[in-house]
Amino acid sequence: MALKLHGAPMSTCTTRVMFCLHEKGVEFELVPVNLFTRENKNPEFVAKNPFGLVPVLEDGDLTLFESRAITAYVAEKFKDTGYDLLRHQALKEAALVKVWLEVEAQQFNPAISPIIYQYLVSPLRGGSPDQAIIDTHKEKLEAVLDIYEAKLSSTKYLAGDFYSLADLHHLSFTFYLMVTPAASLINERPHVKAWWEDISSRPASQKVMEGMTIEQN
Amino acid sequence: MASIKVHGNFLSTAARRVFACLYEKELDFELVPVEFKTNDHKKEPYLSLNPFGQIPAFEDGDLKMFESRAITSYIAREYGDKGTQLIYTSGKEMAEMLVWMEVEAHQYDPVVAKLVMEQQVKPLMMGLPPDAAVVEENEAKLSKVLDVYEARLAQSKYLAGDSFTLADLHHLPATANLMNTQSWKLIESRPNVSAWIADITSRPAWSKVVLALKDYYQQQQP
């Protein structure tokens, strides 16, 4: 029985999981959840994820939420097929992947997420971008990306000279950053830019990005 | 000499996550003291251990790591046969463990950290008054999160299932910070959450961390 992924094809957290599923070559069915009508807050959905957020993964009788738990589960369960996202046979490399997975979650995400929200999501909800929030978080993201620039000068990808789940987790939000004025933060840093061009041009990345258009449907 | 080194101190919430894990696994380690007040963690040579200039940093032989939840995850897997079994490595329980590790990181910790900042860090360490609006907003958020935990802990004794895992352990330091604030009432009013916290905070490994923090405070007295 195929995996069922409940979410939306343009949602950052849903696509985080889709990138992973494509890299692993795992079959799945995308079950659309209409975020514009707040279907994610309906009782049937909340029964699957009590936090009322997409995505949710169903694997037989197992129901998972939190995109980074889902990718970790998929990468672990299917570790012997598709691309090796976790370096599971090299403990030291696997440990470094864990470090940069946490960096994305704890350092990168809190800085970039409000920028994407202000530029791209707020207008869809009838608001306009709050420049003060954007400016504060651009400053934070610049500090993070300076560290990335230094790291990517010594290794090709974040955890080492190999693409891993740690790089993959950055795809969704960075994709959207590149369509905002804040794209300069990536373009101004040569190693970060080269890294972005590399990871976004992978076939699995391209496949998912085709569906990432933010418009009301 | 222990191959494991932790750079940091017992005051650091994140470092306590690592110490709790090391004590559960009964592993020897060397503490390399790094004090907040000297700001040494914002300079070299510390930055080559953690380029984000945060405590803790970790070494195991020639492996260097940072980010407390990466470190605990590494320790739990590398030393799987020592001390307490802290992770499930397959199946449904592994999946649940992964989910609740993310819930701690993204739903619980950010909200608790804000409440502790306003009610502990600002008054006690910075001489600033708490912002009542921030406290109110985050208590409302924490209430919603704890309602989810209350329902979850009606289904199993620990977050991932019948055994204590990293999913539970990761909550310990921030929860201990919250204990001395008025926000603790949100825990006390939920029986399943209260019972779970009473259980995990009474573990001998955690008690060792609590005692070490008490010692640390005493050493800081002039």
Side-chain angles (χ1 to χ4, degrees):
Chain A
M1 185 165 51
L3 302 182
K4 283 190 185 168
L5 182 67
H6 299 256
M10 72 301 197
S11 138
T12 46
C13 294
T14 307
T15 49
R16 199 192 318 273
V17 175
M18 290 169 69
F19 289 122
C20 178
L21 289 164
H22 281 289
E23 287 287 352
K24 300 307 288 175
V26 173
E27 296 280 313
F28 69 97
E29 181 195 337
L30 180 64
V31 180
V33 177
N34 191 330
L35 302 176
F36 295 106
T37 61
R38 292 171 66 80
E39 188 186 337
N40 49 303
K41 303 297 181 188
N42 291 352
E44 307 82 54
F45 189 83
V46 169
K48 298 184 202 293
N49 181 355
F51 293 96
L53 300 169
V54 294
V56 164
L57 184 82
E58 287 178 324
D59 183 6
D61 64 351
L62 187 59
T63 302
L64 302 182
F65 52 90
E66 290 292 329
S67 62
R68 298 173 187 81
I70 298 170
T71 57
Y73 171 77
V74 168
E76 183 67 37
K77 179 173 177 174
F78 299 100
K79 63 186 177 210
D80 295 320
T81 60
Y83 185 81
D84 179 14
L85 287 169
L86 293 177
R87 319 300 291 180
H88 67 278
Q89 285 176 336
L91 190 67
K92 192 171 168 180
E93 289 180 353
L96 296 173
V97 172
K98 287 192 209 296
V99 168
W100 289 91
L101 283 168
E102 287 302 315
V103 169
E104 182 278 325
Q106 296 289 332
Q107 316 289 351
F108 180 84
N109 187 63
I112 194 174
S113 176
I115 299 173
I116 302 309
Y117 185 89
Q118 290 303 321
Y119 272 128
L120 298 177
V121 181
S122 181
L124 292 172
R125 294 189 174 167
S128 51
D130 182 326
Q131 198 59 44
I133 293 179
I134 290 171
D135 290 342
T136 309
H137 289 89
K138 272 180 72 175
E139 217 179 293
K140 291 183 178 176
L141 186 57
E142 280 179 314
V144 171
L145 290 176
D146 284 343
I147 294 169
Y148 279 33
E149 181 65 16
K151 183 66 168 78
L152 293 165
S153 314
S154 67
T155 57
K156 190 168 183 211
Y157 300 96
L158 288 172
D161 290 325
F162 47 85
Y163 181 71
S164 76
L165 193 65
D167 307 286
L168 185 154
H169 277 184
H170 291 77
L171 287 165
S172 314
F173 277 92
T174 310
F175 174 83
Y176 285 124
L177 189 78
M178 297 311 284
V179 306
T180 73
S184 56
L185 269 55
I186 301 291
N187 291 326
E188 282 162 4
R189 292 168 173 80
H191 293 93
V192 173
K193 184 176 177 177
W195 167 75
W196 168 248
E197 280 166 1
D198 182 310
I199 67 175
S200 59
S201 63
R202 295 174 67 87
S205 306
Q206 288 284 306
K207 199 141 198 259
V208 177
M209 286 172 180
E210 280 163 23
M212 290 172 76
T213 51
I214 295 203
E215 55 200 20
Q216 199 126 359
N217 54 11
Chain B
M1 182 171 75
S3 70
I4 295 178
K5 293 184 188 175
V6 180
H7 299 253
N9 59 64
F10 278 91
L11 182 59
S12 154
T13 306
R16 275 182 278 145
R17 202 171 273 127
V18 175
F19 295 130
C21 181
L22 288 165
Y23 289 143
E24 286 285 352
K25 300 304 280 176
E26 296 166 21
L27 294 168
D28 290 328
F29 65 94
E30 182 189 337
L31 170 65
V32 181
V34 181
E35 303 301 332
F36 288 115
K37 57 186 181 237
T38 59
N39 252 5
D40 284 345
H41 55 304
K42 303 291 181 190
K43 313 170 204 156
E44 293 292 1
Y46 188 86
L47 289 177
S48 48
L49 292 170
N50 182 345
F52 293 89
Q54 292 177 332
I55 287 171
F58 175 88
E59 293 179 89
D60 188 359
D62 60 358
L63 174 66
K64 296 181 186 352
M65 297 179 73
F66 56 94
E67 290 294 334
S68 64
R69 298 173 186 84
I71 296 165
T72 56
S73 190
Y74 162 77
I75 292 167
R77 192 161 279 242
E78 168 71 355
Y79 298 97
D81 56 346
K82 294 216 151 69
T84 313
Q85 180 58 247
L86 287 176
I87 51 172
Y88 293 110
T89 50
S90 64
K92 199 163 184 175
E93 283 134 336
M94 178 190 76
E96 290 290 348
M97 180 192 74
L98 292 171
V99 166
W100 290 91
M101 283 167 75
E102 290 303 317
V103 170
E104 182 274 328
H106 293 283
Q107 314 294 348
Y108 183 82
D109 192 70
V111 178
V112 171
K114 289 207 173 82
L115 288 169
V116 170
M117 171 58 74
E118 291 305 316
Q119 299 174 81
Q120 292 275 292
V121 179
K122 277 170 74 172
L124 299 176
M125 298 190 189
M126 295 156 76
L128 295 170
D131 182 329
V134 174
V135 172
E136 196 182 327
E137 183 192 333
N138 284 283
E139 282 192 345
K141 285 183 183 174
L142 185 58
S143 284
K144 289 200 172 133
V145 170
L146 289 177
D147 284 344
V148 177
Y149 278 67
E150 185 67 10
R152 173 74 194 135
L153 292 163
Q155 297 170 342
S156 61
K157 188 171 182 203
Y158 298 99
L159 289 171
D162 293 327
S163 300
F164 177 81
T165 66
L166 286 184
D168 309 286
L169 183 152
H170 283 178
H171 291 77
L172 283 164
T175 306
N177 294 343
L178 198 69
M179 263 179 205
N180 299 319
T181 72
Q182 64 158 50
S183 309
W184 192 247
K185 62 182 186 271
L186 301 175
I187 302 276
E188 284 174 328
S189 57
R190 292 170 172 80
N192 299 331
V193 172
S194 290
W196 167 69
I197 296 222
D199 181 303
I200 67 174
T201 53
S202 66
R203 294 178 68 86
W206 181 248
S207 304
K208 273 184 90 164
V209 176
V210 172
L211 278 169
L213 178 55
K214 283 203 175 112
D215 281 345
Y216 179 85
Y217 278 132
Q218 274 168 351
Q219 284 160 37
Q220 303 297 305
Q221 299 301 321

